Amino acid sequence: MIDVLIVGAGPNGLMLACELALAGVHPVVLERHATPTGEPRANGVVGQVVRLLDRRDLYTRLSAESTPPSPQPAFTFGAFPLDLTMLAENPHYVLGVPQAQLEATLAARAAELGVDLRRGHEVVDLRQRPDVVEVCLADGTQLTARFLVGADGGRSAVRRLAGIDFPGVTYDRSVSRTATVTVPASFLDPDTGALRVPGHGVVPPFLHTRTERGLIAWAPFPGRPAILSTTEWPDVPTSDENPMSLAELRASVARVLGADVPLGEPDGPGPGLLRRLNGQNTRIAARYRAGRVLLVGDAAHVHPAIGGPGLNLGLQDAANLGWKLAATVRGWAPQGLLDTYETERRPVAERVVMSTQAQSALIGPGDEITGLRELFAELLRTPEVTGHIAALMSGADIHYPADPADPLAGRSAPDVVVDGDHGPVRLAELTRTARPLLLDSTGVYAEVAAPWRDRVDIVTGALRGTTATALLVRPDCFVAWSAGDADTLRASLTHHFGLPG
């Protein structure tokens, strides 16, 4: 009997597998591709999930940096530059790492944790019984699991086989083209990496540039091929019959900028990125759970990629679901804990959808949009508006349902440092095991939580980086409780982590 069967070995499925393994549940992961595809997809991780990766000891592996992540001084929203240096507290983090590298790192970590990853296996049917899910593979193999999780993308077979609707909208009025390219050295600013285009001017790096004819983005990543992309709104839909070519992208660039940019094949081994997308989808699954079947990541929600929120959303889905599903499998989950996965994560997906739809509107063509952009540019000169947008983009505004009298409960845990008997320790060093954690500067609350020691780690010492004298931190690094009294702590421990062992 398999405890948890995960379908899909992308970042979300692998992250969930690691979370389950850290919690003492060893899942089986099925991937229909026999080998990693290596297909260029996402180019980085954006938002608060960078802090989560640090708190699982994955940030150093991905970045090769020995220091903790630092907020990004600038970003973009709807083709507007965001000056984040004006903020007293900047919540926006960026980790520039290709998705293939992220997947490889997560796969290596899953192997270290004993996860059973089986490639070349495709799910073609499933049937639920009261206590198990029976899964049929394309080769006729039958598998039985206590729970099944679909992490198999926007065209999820698990979602379809479970009978979960995927309502939303599909727009066909835009065409996006993206490729890895080289450009002549004369077109590059040696100091900034910007494109200098005769007849147009400067196209800054790592930002979106809007014209009345479309959108262009230039990303000269250090140590790997540069990526150039455009978005247009043609009067006549573009056919998908012919594959995308560099000549097609070059023609699109000329239309958007009103000037020509010579494009060449990327340096180094392939496969290079060469992709055309007609239209875009915005959909959220009608349910995140149907009995013993759950959905995570793109299987639960799809949206435009503008602003790069997809991995921030999906990986934090996995962190939220992992400890709750493990608690259910291991038998100590309080009643209804697993259902809070959807009640907490669906509103986050809805906000991401709202954000990407708003950005899609702001980059569109037309004089009315240009007028709207002039007003929006004025608003973004104020720290209040920029801070609100930065919190939305990064996911720092997430506030799960919690005791309204507790100002920290339901929010991401601050980057606390604990001064204990063995010197200062960062919260990120204490959360690598993905166990619930009580931080106590008084010693009083540690005694209250002692009956939960089988599932809650207790650390005492002075706390820096928070005004609270104690914090109860969930495995997904959100605050469950901040110092009230002994009774409220017992209630929170029971509510989140069940009755004492």
Side-chain angles (χ1 to χ4, degrees):
M1 169 74 73
I2 298 170
D3 283 328
V4 179
L5 187 62
I6 301 171
V7 179
N12 301 318
L14 291 170
M15 184 72 176
L16 176 60
C18 292
E19 294 292 294
L20 289 168
L22 286 168
V25 174
H26 294 282
V28 172
V29 181
L30 302 180
E31 169 56 50
R32 66 185 180 92
H33 294 289
T35 59
T37 65
E39 178 186 350
R41 303 187 75 180
N43 296 297
V45 183
V46 176
Q48 291 285 296
V49 72
V50 177
R51 296 171 71 220
L52 175 64
L53 293 172
D54 181 40
R55 292 169 174 182
R56 292 296 188 262
D57 200 23
L58 293 166
Y59 176 78
T60 297
R61 300 187 187 206
L62 290 163
S63 67
E65 298 285 343
S66 59
T67 56
S70 300
Q72 189 81 356
F75 201 64
T76 180
F77 177 86
F80 288 98
L82 288 180
D83 178 9
L84 304 178
T85 62
M86 71 171 71
L87 304 181
E89 294 185 10
N90 180 0
H92 204 66
Y93 295 77
V94 175
L95 174 58
V97 55
Q99 182 166 325
Q101 181 185 345
L102 176 62
E103 289 182 8
T105 300
L106 288 171
R109 179 57 174 151
E112 293 171 5
L113 295 170
V115 172
D116 184 357
L117 172 55
R118 305 176 187 177
R119 297 189 181 273
H121 295 277
E122 182 177 3
V123 173
V124 295
D125 199 9
L126 68 85
R127 179 170 54 182
Q128 292 204 56
R129 298 191 182 279
D131 57 347
V132 297
V133 182
E134 297 174 343
V135 175
C136 181
L137 306 185
D139 63 2
T141 301
Q142 303 282 333
L143 298 175
T144 303
R146 296 179 64 184
F147 289 94
L148 174 66
V149 180
D152 49 344
R155 298 179 180 179
S156 170
V158 171
R159 185 186 63 236
R160 173 177 53 81
L161 293 169
I164 300 176
D165 291 336
F166 204 35
V169 292
T170 298
Y171 299 107
D172 60 2
R173 59 178 179 261
S174 66
V175 179
S176 298
R177 299 174 175 89
T178 305
T180 44
V181 301
T182 56
V183 299
S186 61
F187 278 70
L188 292 174
D189 186 305
D191 297 321
T192 66
L195 278 180
R196 297 182 301 194
V197 182
H200 168 77
V202 174
V203 177
F206 303 109
L207 295 173
H208 292 102
T209 298
R210 176 190 178 269
T211 73
E212 288 292 343
R213 299 169 296 278
L215 190 77
I216 187 169
W218 165 245
F221 293 104
R224 53 191 172 107
I227 293 179
L228 184 65
S229 66
T230 64
T231 301
E232 297 179 88
W233 294 266
D235 295 331
V236 179
T238 302
S239 172
D240 277 329
E241 291 183 2
N242 298 318
M244 232 276 282
S245 66
L246 283 184
E248 180 182 331
L249 178 60
R250 182 175 181 174
S252 176
V253 171
R255 289 191 296 269
V256 171
L257 296 181
D260 184 46
V261 178
L263 303 179
E265 298 283 348
D267 297 325
L273 175 61
L274 201 61
R275 182 173 62 211
R276 180 201 306 118
L277 294 176
N278 284 310
Q280 57 190 24
N281 283 306
T282 298
R283 299 181 181 277
I284 299 179
R287 295 175 288 166
Y288 281 22
R289 178 186 180 189
R292 292 181 173 268
V293 177
L294 299 109
L295 304 176
V296 70
D298 288 356
H301 40 67
V302 296
H303 48 77
I306 188 167
L311 286 173
N312 189 23
L313 180 59
L315 292 173
Q316 293 204 72
D317 282 351
N320 186 289
L321 175 59
W323 69 276
K324 297 172 181 178
L325 187 52
T328 304
V329 169
R330 298 187 65 186
W332 58 257
Q335 183 70 30
L337 178 67
L338 192 54
D339 289 328
T340 66
Y341 165 59
E342 177 169 356
T343 59
E344 289 185 346
R345 295 304 297 170
R346 173 179 285 277
V348 181
E350 290 170 348
R351 285 190 64 75
V352 168
V353 164
M354 177 268 287
S355 170
T356 56
Q357 287 180 326
Q359 292 182 78
S360 296
L362 284 168
I363 65 174
D367 294 340
E368 299 90 345
I369 300 300
T370 300
L372 176 62
R373 291 181 62 83
E374 291 176 1
L375 172 60
F376 212 84
E378 294 180 9
L379 296 175
L380 286 175
R381 297 190 188 110
T382 64
E384 294 80 7
V385 174
T386 295
H388 186 92
I389 295 293
L392 171 66
M393 294 278 286
S394 67
D397 60 352
I398 295 173
H399 190 182
Y400 296 144
D403 180 358
D406 190 333
L408 296 180
R411 297 190 180 276
S412 181
D415 288 323
V416 173
V417 175
V418 183
D419 291 317
D421 295 337
H422 302 288
V425 182
R426 294 194 304 129
L427 178 67
E429 299 173 79
L430 298 171
T431 54
R432 292 171 180 173
T433 59
R435 282 171 55 85
L437 178 66
L438 176 67
L439 305 178
D440 180 16
S441 66
T442 69
V444 174
Y445 298 110
E447 295 183 12
V448 176
W452 282 267
R453 276 191 178 274
D454 63 316
R455 71 200 70 153
V456 179
D457 290 340
I458 300 172
V459 178
T460 58
L463 304 183
R464 287 185 281 138
T466 180
T467 57
T469 56
L471 290 172
L472 180 62
V473 182
R474 305 180 346 174
D476 58 354
C477 298
F478 278 74
V479 175
W481 169 92
S482 65
D485 55 31
D487 289 339
T488 59
L489 175 57
R490 288 191 192 93
S492 185
L493 285 162
T494 303
H495 175 74
H496 290 93
F497 312 122
L499 295 171

